[in-house]
Amino acid sequence: MIREYQPTDLDKIMEIWLQGNLQAHKFIDPEFFKQNYELVKTLIPMSKIYVQDVNGIKGFIGLTENYISGLFVEQNFQGNGTGKALIEKAKQQHTELFTQVYKKNTYAINFYLAQHFEIISESINEETNEEEVLMHCNVEHKVKIGKCAL
């Protein structure tokens, strides 16, 4: 079940955030994420957060308006549709979405491409000096008429 963030979710979200960054970004010094942990912990509640809660939180997506500031899924639940479901939740709320992904994180880039995002530009992250890509997705909202209208 996808639901909105509750303050009691913060510790689990941060655990998933740290493990996800360490797993996906082996090309960045782990100390970078550890040093930013407390800052991110204060910023998380400022975003619109949705969590995938199936007998506990398995993943989350953070949105700052139409920008995906983070999408993380516990390693054991990756590849089972959790990330896709969280993207779909974000698509329900917006007509377009943006996100930035490290260019070396090919797994994430391929995931977003499969969710109908496209790469629109490249840049260098000033904090890590790593290449990033800016990705964009136009979201089509289809309205159903008749018995099955939502």
Side-chain angles (χ1 to χ4, degrees), residues 110-122:
N110 289 331
F111 168 80
Y112 281 109
L113 290 172
Q115 307 313 308
H116 307 290
F117 281 73
E118 62 182 349
I119 297 170
I120 58 172
S121 68
E122 296 185 18

Side-chain angles (χ1 to χ4, degrees), residues 79-111:
N80 73 353
T82 299
K84 182 177 179 177
L86 289 163
I87 290 287
E88 288 302 316
K89 181 67 174 178
K91 286 180 176 181
Q92 291 172 6
Q93 312 298 317
H94 300 282
T95 57
E96 66 178 351
L97 292 167
F98 294 90
T99 195
Q100 282 186 290
V101 179
Y102 286 111
K103 195 170 183 179
K104 290 180 183 174
N105 189 352
T106 55
Y107 180 84
I109 290 172
N110 289 331
F111 168 80

